[in-house]
Amino acid sequence: MSRNFEQYRDDYEHVAMSREDGILELRFHTNEGSLIWGASPHSELGHCFREVGTDPTNRVIIITGTGDEFISRLDESWVGKMTPQKWERIYTNGKRLLQALLDIEVPVIGAVNGKATVHAELALLSDIVIASDRAVFQDGPHFRYGTVPGDGVHVIWPLLLGANRGRYFLLTGQRLSAVEAHGFGVVNEVVAHEAVRHRAFELARQLCAQPDITLRYSREVLIEPIRRYLASSIVSGLALEGLAAFESWPS
């Protein structure tokens, strides 16, 4: 049986939730500071997206971070020798993370509040993406540290940037400013840092002027091709990332 907002709102360690007139804000954090990525949020966020994404009382969802970072740091939860058991958890949670995000049933607005160098795709897969003028985009944790970029970024960045620019971005560790990301079509608007949240809610209220069925069916027709495209490559990508990890992961 599904839970209502009051039942689930405080159940996620790394997500602070607030809702107003059907607009649900998901603010990622670690102890109320900027989110530090690791095994805990990697496991938790997929479950969160699944729950909020199927709640019929949510009409638009905003995804954002805390402070001056969206996500840009890692903890040490994955440091050490790779084992089949450890990779099974990474594989299962990684697949759920993006699938559940794309399965959200209502329009999603990404409000990138700062540096997004770890899992920037969690915001960039939104239907509308607003970026702070201080935002920076990069795929920080993968190729430059000997890790195969196979957890979905291998699909998402070439989709957003184009095949050649996307592959260059992943293989070189290129950093994109908010203005550069806007020029490439990765984000829709760049606004002053202090205006990101306001603009996201302004757009959300604009979307909410439409009936529920229009919101839900529009989300479905717009996200379904991306969902299908990701599904065709996420399993093999994670498998190859895992195979390489057993050889290269520091012990």
Side-chain angles (χ1 to χ4, degrees):
M1 183 176 178
S2 60
R3 303 189 297 171
N4 62 41
F5 175 67
E6 296 302 327
Q7 292 171 319
Y8 64 68
R9 65 178 300 174
D10 296 320
D11 274 6
Y12 295 96
E13 179 184 356
H14 299 287
V15 186
M17 300 190 195
S18 60
R19 191 169 70 180
E20 179 183 342
D21 299 326
I23 300 169
L24 174 66
E25 181 185 51
L26 304 179
R27 179 175 57 81
F28 301 157
H29 70 95
T30 295
N31 298 324
E32 286 303 319
S34 298
L35 181 64
I36 301 173
W37 192 255
S40 181
H42 192 243
S43 170
E44 178 181 85
L45 288 185
H47 294 291
C48 175
F49 295 151
R50 191 75 73 197
E51 184 154 45
V52 304
T54 55
D55 181 346
T57 62
N58 293 327
R59 305 191 70 225
V60 174
I61 292 175
I62 295 172
I63 291 175
T64 192
T66 298
D68 292 334
E69 302 173 18
F70 180 68
I71 312 173
S72 67
R73 289 176 289 162
L74 297 163
D75 66 21
E76 297 184 348
S77 54
W78 289 317
V79 172
K81 182 178 176 60
M82 182 54 63
T83 65
Q85 293 76 22
K86 182 186 288 187
W87 189 257
E88 194 279 331
R89 291 192 296 272
I90 293 172
Y91 167 82
T92 300
N93 293 327
K95 187 170 66 168
R96 181 192 300 115
L97 176 69
L98 295 184
Q99 289 178 339
L101 176 60
L102 295 179
D103 282 342
I104 290 174
E105 297 174 1
V106 295
V108 179
I109 296 173
V112 184
N113 56 298
K115 287 180 65 177
T117 57
V118 176
H119 283 293
E121 73 277 3
L122 296 180
L124 298 180
L125 283 171
S126 301
D127 302 295
I128 297 173
V129 184
I130 309 302
S132 160
D133 55 8
R134 301 180 192 173
V136 176
F137 299 90
Q138 185 183 38
D139 180 47
H142 289 109
F143 188 78
R144 66 192 186 128
Y145 290 114
T147 300
V148 174
D151 63 353
V153 294
H154 64 300
V155 176
I156 295 159
W157 280 105
L159 177 66
L160 294 173
L161 286 170
N164 285 355
R165 279 196 297 260
R167 288 178 291 177
Y168 176 90
F169 177 86
L170 293 171
L171 293 174
T172 64
Q174 181 183 19
R175 294 166 68 93
L176 298 176
S177 69
V179 172
E180 289 171 323
H182 181 260
F184 288 140
V186 173
V187 304
N188 303 111
E189 297 181 16
V190 177
V191 300
H193 182 71
E194 60 275 10
V196 173
R197 188 173 184 271
H198 173 80
R199 180 56 177 155
F201 272 89
E202 186 176 56
L203 287 164
R205 287 189 288 270
Q206 178 180 321
L207 297 181
C208 282
Q210 298 298 329
D212 284 349
I213 196 166
T214 302
L215 291 174
R216 290 177 175 274
Y217 285 9
S218 295
R219 165 68 173 179
E220 181 61 23
V221 298
L222 293 172
I223 207 65
E224 197 274 335
I226 299 174
R227 185 193 298 131
R228 193 158 18 99
Y229 185 43
L230 180 70
S232 69
S233 298
I234 186 68
V235 170
S236 59
L238 281 166
L240 292 173
E241 183 175 327
L243 284 172
F246 284 92
E247 177 66 27
S248 60
W249 205 284
S251 56

